[in-house]
Amino acid sequence: MRLIRHTLLVCALLVLAYAACMRFWQPSYLGIAAQSQWQVNAMRAQGLLYERTITPHTIVVGSSLAARMPTGLLPKHTYNLSMVGMSTYDGLRILQHEGLVPKRLLIETNVLQRPARKAFLESTLSPLPYQLRKWAFVLQDKYQPAVIAGETLTPLITTPLVMEAEAWLRQLPKPADSPAGGKVTDAQAKQSANKPNEETLASNLSELQQAVAYFQSQGSEVLFFEMPVDPQIAESVEYRTIREHLHKAFPTAQYTYLPRSPKVYTTTDGIHLNARKAAEFAQELSGMLEKR
Amino acid sequence: MLFNSFEFVGLLLATFLLYYLPPLRRWQLPILLLASMAFYASAQPQLLWLLLASIGLNAASSYAVLRASSPQAARPYATLGVVANLSLLAFFKYSGLMAHTFLPADGELSAFLTTLPLPLGISFFSFQGISLVVDVYRAKGKAEQAPAAPWTQHLLHTTFFISFFAKLVQGPIAKAGQFMPQIGPKRYRDIQWEPIFRALVMGYFLKMVVADNLKDQTFWIAYPYFETRSTLSLLSMLLGYSMQIFADFAGYSLIAIGVGGLFGYRLPDNFNFPYISTSVADFWRRWHISLSTFLKEYLYIPLGGNRHGQGRTYFNLMMTMVLGGIWHGAGWSYALWGAVHGGALAIERFCKDRFSLPQHPVVSLLQWAAVFTMVSWAWLFFKLPEFSHVVGFMQSVVRNTHLSTWPGNLTYIALYALPVLVYHASHVYRAAGYNDRWIVAMRPLTYGFMLFCILTNSGAAGDFIYFQF
């Protein structure tokens, strides 16, 4: 039992020391740096749950497609709660759990066939982890020691090593065929050629109807929008089916749909805009919202 | 219900409290059975009947073996028990694969077979059923066999042996001969707190801090995404996956051992520092020990082992590993993974019979590097479901030399691989006979740090890799 007592004591001291350190140090990359895209999701959710001082005027909910839009280029007081690998429903559930009602709710409609991710919502909203993170701020993802270690070690050690290794690798003969984007886009196009599971889609849309009714009843203005994707995918069976079901559930005469962008945006893999294009679309979206 | 979920912690605490309450002492076994059924039903309530059916057939066949007048009379019952277990496993786990491979895709039968649900832990509880029937049958031949217990007690013990929640869905695969004798009343004061605490902290650390964080870094070993990653990135992700799969499964096994210990049951060790192996045979003595021991005792030796000449030995090795591979999952890539290991074992044995290498640290280091490299590459068959994707990954490694690497990815892989390396290195240090008193003295700091990391640096909870098996 002595080992157990001492271990618990060491752990408690480490948590306290680390919390004190984080309270006073506050490195500049805190809240920006993350280990992975999935951690960015957690940080976005936790940012809204634990750090907001006022309810943002506009909240964007969506998938990894909308997640790429930089918040800074969206209208003032906008919070982008779009999640990589997830969908609109995850963001909506978080808002409903918190009773957060923005003046304007922007709903991305590209990935409506994907239901909310139970594991993510449980880890974010279950009473115990939720309260623990609320009262012990160092348990929030942005304070993970590995992020601090990663941000310190990467420029010092990894980047120089990677640069050297890459310089050596680039001396090797360059392959004739270029891999990268093409095949990924093809795979996305192939996937989009299939109809989404209509049962799941219908059930998801029914959840969306309830959520939209709730936010409207609370006074939110709900706007639907579609992120630009590869033109071939935008007109695929999958996308057309989703639009068809969406328009049935939310008739265009009664609900507001922002117009689809007429521009052709290049993507990295058929559906995701690269950083530059995502910024460009964020500005276009901001322009549309300002005109309203 | 994952071991790393709050629901599980709740179930564990409630069961623990009830289990050791003095007035409920004589209900200890039913309490554990109830908790085990709740554990299983929380994931697949609709398939609880299958678990119960498996238990029923194993209890009946092993009881028939016990009651038979002689080993000869018991043989048909034992055979029936083994065949029934294998049939259940084959039907639920492999009929989809067979249908996919041999039947036309649009047929009704094919559609039915490919949509059969995969019962959680079927590979594990079927093997434990086989172990029960075979162990009871083998004991039959021995002179001093205990008289058969009453049917109700046998049924209760069999149900517990197969369904104990600590090992139900992912092992370690307990052998009946070792587990059943432990069944009996347990006292709170007999709990070995320190080793249990160490197993639990280490297990949760490996799973929640190492494996769950590495999984986000190795996510891109997936078709077609790996085609867009640089050579450096692909190689580091492969190393990361090697560490991840160890941390994930060894972590689970340690938690299972810790949980078993809380209720007074000793589960078999499943890992013994596998990444220090200097031969493939050595690797299999250290990796998933409960499975490799099972395969050796119940498959390799009955096939003839090494008793029928070299050619037959190689065949037996290959057969055991291919079947062991396909035990993991209903996909030909798992069979290929087994074949790679079987082939490596056969080649190793062939070489060992003909050449002897000098005993030198440099030679050992080269052997270790060769084994680790082979094992790590072979994990690709686990990660990528199709052979063409494995080939594609290898082509990308050769081809993507000109692509840029995100250094952060490498940093995080190195950070999370480090604990696995230290874990193995500390064992090498101790095994070399150096003074390890300072390691023991540092334990509160080490375990305190691990606990701190569990609290502050856990990754997003993911399924255990072996859950799918």
Side-chain angles (χ1 to χ4, degrees):
Chain A
M1 290 302 262
R2 202 166 142 234
L3 170 74
I4 300 174
R5 274 197 307 272
H6 288 182
T7 299
L8 294 176
L9 184 70
V10 168
C11 174
L13 289 174
L14 281 172
V15 171
L16 287 174
Y18 188 64
C21 180
M22 284 297 108
R23 180 63 80 201
F24 297 112
W25 181 24
Q26 293 280 330
S28 57
Y29 48 77
L30 219 56
I32 303 164
Q35 297 177 58
S36 65
Q37 303 178 58
W38 296 274
Q39 194 168 47
V40 174
N41 291 342
M43 281 163 47
R44 279 191 178 174
Q46 290 165 13
L48 191 69
L49 294 173
Y50 306 120
E51 285 171 15
R52 67 173 194 278
T53 43
I54 50 158
T55 302
H57 175 275
T58 302
I59 293 182
V60 185
V61 287
S63 67
S64 54
L65 279 66
R68 295 210 168 185
M69 290 189 295
T71 307
L73 294 174
L74 292 168
K76 243 185 178 180
H77 306 300
T78 297
Y79 197 90
N80 191 351
L81 192 59
S82 306
M83 309 278 189
V84 175
M86 299 190 210
S87 65
T88 294
Y89 309 106
D90 299 277
L92 288 173
R93 293 244 189 122
I94 290 170
L95 294 181
Q96 285 179 293
H97 177 272
E98 278 296 283
L100 263 174
V101 181
K103 291 263 181 317
R104 184 189 277 159
L105 181 62
L106 275 170
I107 297 179
E108 180 226 282
T109 59
N110 295 60
V111 192
L112 295 175
Q113 74 280 29
R114 188 185 293 159
R117 188 173 279 195
K118 203 174 150 221
F120 172 75
L121 290 171
E122 273 177 7
S123 72
T124 308
L125 302 175
S126 291
L128 192 59
Y130 177 84
Q131 293 298 337
L132 278 174
R133 283 193 208 103
K134 192 170 183 177
W135 300 112
F137 70 94
V138 278
L139 304 187
Q140 292 173 24
D141 272 64
K142 72 173 184 177
Y143 294 104
Q144 287 205 343
V147 176
I148 313 286
E151 286 300 304
T152 313
L153 294 175
T154 301
L156 278 178
I157 301 173
T158 325
T159 306
L161 285 177
V162 165
M163 281 168 74
E164 253 185 60
E166 282 187 344
W168 181 80
L169 283 169
R170 286 205 175 97
Q171 289 172 352
L172 299 173
K174 195 176 172 183
D177 62 328
S178 168
K183 276 196 182 172
V184 185
T185 307
D186 290 347
Q188 291 287 5
K190 204 173 154 189
Q191 195 183 316
S192 305
N194 300 318
K195 263 192 170 187
N197 183 319
E198 297 201 44
E199 209 178 305
T200 313
L201 183 59
S203 141
N204 289 351
L205 284 172
S206 148
E207 180 185 334
L208 187 59
Q209 279 175 315
Q210 287 174 24
V212 167
Y214 165 78
F215 284 106
Q216 284 184 327
S217 71
Q218 300 294 308
S220 282
E221 178 194 20
V222 175
L223 304 173
F224 295 104
F225 76 101
E226 194 175 310
M227 288 294 293
V229 294
D230 181 272
Q232 190 196 341
I233 294 176
E235 293 311 321
S236 65
V237 175
E238 186 186 29
Y239 268 63
R240 276 189 282 122
T241 311
I242 291 173
R243 266 183 229 125
E244 202 177 288
H245 281 73
L246 180 70
H247 291 165
K248 259 188 213 160
F250 300 95
T252 46
Q254 293 167 34
Y255 293 88
T256 312
Y257 289 81
L258 295 178
R260 280 166 63 194
S261 175
K263 291 187 201 166
V264 174
Y265 282 89
T266 46
T267 62
T268 55
D269 57 1
I271 55 172
H272 294 100
L273 304 180
N274 62 30
R276 200 164 57 84
K277 292 291 171 186
E280 207 176 305
F281 181 71
Q283 282 171 323
E284 189 184 335
L285 187 69
S286 295
M288 279 190 251
L289 293 171
E290 272 164 26
K291 278 184 205 156
R292 290 185 57 78
Chain B
M1 196 185 290
L2 297 173
F3 274 5
N4 50 343
S5 66
F6 286 102
E7 291 91 333
F8 178 76
V9 175
L11 176 80
L12 184 66
L13 288 176
T15 311
F16 185 79
L17 284 174
L18 293 174
Y19 188 76
Y20 287 110
L21 268 185
L24 297 178
R25 209 168 148 214
R26 67 196 191 94
W27 298 99
Q28 281 185 329
L29 209 51
I31 288 169
L32 280 186
L33 286 180
L34 212 62
S36 300
M37 295 303 148
F39 176 78
Y40 195 82
S42 71
Q44 285 184 329
Q46 74 282 15
L47 288 174
L48 187 62
W49 68 268
L50 184 70
L51 174 66
L52 295 172
S54 167
I55 289 168
L57 80 86
N58 282 304
S61 56
S62 57
Y63 195 67
V65 170
L66 271 174
R67 301 281 299 193
S69 53
S70 66
Q72 287 72 28
R75 199 179 171 89
Y77 299 117
T79 310
L80 191 72
V82 172
V83 169
N85 273 303
L86 291 176
S87 307
L88 215 61
L89 183 62
F91 181 72
F92 279 97
K93 189 158 178 173
Y94 302 109
S95 43
L97 174 68
M98 294 302 155
H100 187 70
T101 311
F102 299 114
L103 296 176
D106 50 356
E108 263 183 45
L109 182 63
S110 173
F112 167 71
L113 293 175
T114 48
T115 51
L116 277 175
L118 178 64
L120 198 60
I122 190 166
S123 310
F124 291 91
F125 65 70
S126 299
F127 268 28
Q128 291 189 141
I130 292 172
S131 152
L132 172 70
V133 175
V134 174
D135 284 4
V136 169
Y137 174 70
R138 283 178 180 166
K140 193 87 203 157
K142 291 179 184 160
E144 290 171 19
Q145 197 206 343
W151 161 246
T152 44
Q153 188 189 328
H154 180 75
L155 179 64
L156 202 65
H157 284 197
T158 304
T159 309
F160 177 58
F161 164 62
I162 292 179
S163 70
F164 181 28
F165 68 89
K167 61 173 182 59
L168 172 58
V169 293
Q170 214 180 300
I173 301 168
K175 283 191 286 183
Q178 288 167 357
F179 188 86
M180 299 283 259
Q182 296 183 52
I183 300 176
K186 307 287 177 188
R187 286 175 305 192
Y188 178 81
R189 65 167 179 266
D190 293 336
I191 298 174
Q192 303 282 312
W193 281 107
E194 227 174 86
I196 290 170
F197 178 77
R198 278 193 279 135
L200 288 174
V201 173
M202 179 64 85
Y204 277 111
F205 174 79
L206 285 174
K207 170 59 184 165
M208 295 172 75
V209 179
V210 178
D212 281 349
N213 278 306
L214 276 174
K215 95 176 174 311
D216 292 343
Q217 304 301 328
T218 61
F219 171 83
W220 305 102
I221 310 182
Y223 180 80
Y225 301 110
F226 58 71
E227 299 200 330
T228 64
R229 302 278 145 168
S230 72
T231 299
L232 262 183
S233 185
L234 293 172
L235 289 174
S236 59
M237 283 197 293
L238 189 60
L239 171 81
Y241 188 68
S242 205
M243 299 297 157
Q244 178 194 339
I245 197 165
F246 166 77
D248 192 276
F249 196 20
Y252 183 95
S253 300
L254 283 167
I255 299 168
I257 288 168
V259 170
L262 284 175
F263 297 99
Y265 290 91
R266 168 105 180 88
L267 298 180
D269 286 333
N270 229 7
F271 288 88
N272 183 23
F273 307 93
Y275 287 155
I276 62 164
S277 308
T278 51
S279 70
V280 185
D282 188 26
F283 175 78
W284 278 104
R285 283 190 291 269
R286 294 170 176 277
W287 178 274
H288 203 173
I289 300 166
S290 64
L291 174 71
S292 49
T293 313
F294 182 96
L295 291 174
K296 187 179 166 191
E297 283 184 26
Y298 299 97
L299 185 62
Y300 177 69
I301 292 174
L303 279 172
N306 57 3
R307 300 188 305 274
H308 301 289
Q310 285 185 339
R312 182 63 189 270
T313 305
Y314 302 145
F315 172 80
N316 290 344
L317 278 172
M318 196 57 138
M319 182 60 90
T320 305
M321 294 313 292
V322 169
L323 290 175
I326 208 152
W327 169 88
H328 285 83
W332 296 119
S333 60
Y334 293 104
L336 273 170
W337 173 76
V340 168
H341 275 273
L345 281 169
I347 292 169
E348 192 174 272
R349 200 177 182 96
F350 177 84
C351 295
K352 205 175 148 193
D353 290 345
R354 279 158 186 79
F355 321 105
S356 65
L357 290 169
Q359 294 283 324
H360 192 276
V362 175
V363 177
S364 299
L365 192 71
L366 290 173
Q367 284 178 298
W368 166 81
V371 172
F372 181 73
T373 307
M374 190 287 279
V375 167
S376 294
W377 277 102
W379 289 134
L380 277 179
F381 291 103
F382 255 63
K383 180 75 174 151
L384 297 169
E386 287 183 32
F387 182 68
S388 61
H389 296 173
V390 175
V391 174
F393 184 93
M394 291 177 177
Q395 285 173 336
S396 298
V397 169
V398 177
R399 203 171 48 190
N400 294 358
T401 49
H402 61 292
L403 296 182
S404 302
T405 309
W406 176 52
N409 180 234
L410 269 65
T411 308
Y412 290 118
I413 288 173
L415 269 179
Y416 291 117
L418 192 64
V420 179
L421 298 177
V422 171
Y423 179 69
H424 283 78
S426 69
H427 177 73
V428 173
Y429 178 84
R430 273 189 307 232
Y434 292 110
N435 182 356
D436 70 345
R437 267 186 300 181
W438 67 272
I439 296 182
V440 177
M442 292 267 290
R443 268 184 186 161
L445 288 179
T446 316
Y447 284 89
F449 178 71
M450 284 195 275
L451 214 50
F452 165 74
C453 288
I454 292 170
L455 285 173
T456 58
N457 208 93
S458 289
D463 280 355
F464 287 90
I465 295 173
Y466 269 65
F467 240 47
Q468 58 189 309
F469 309 142

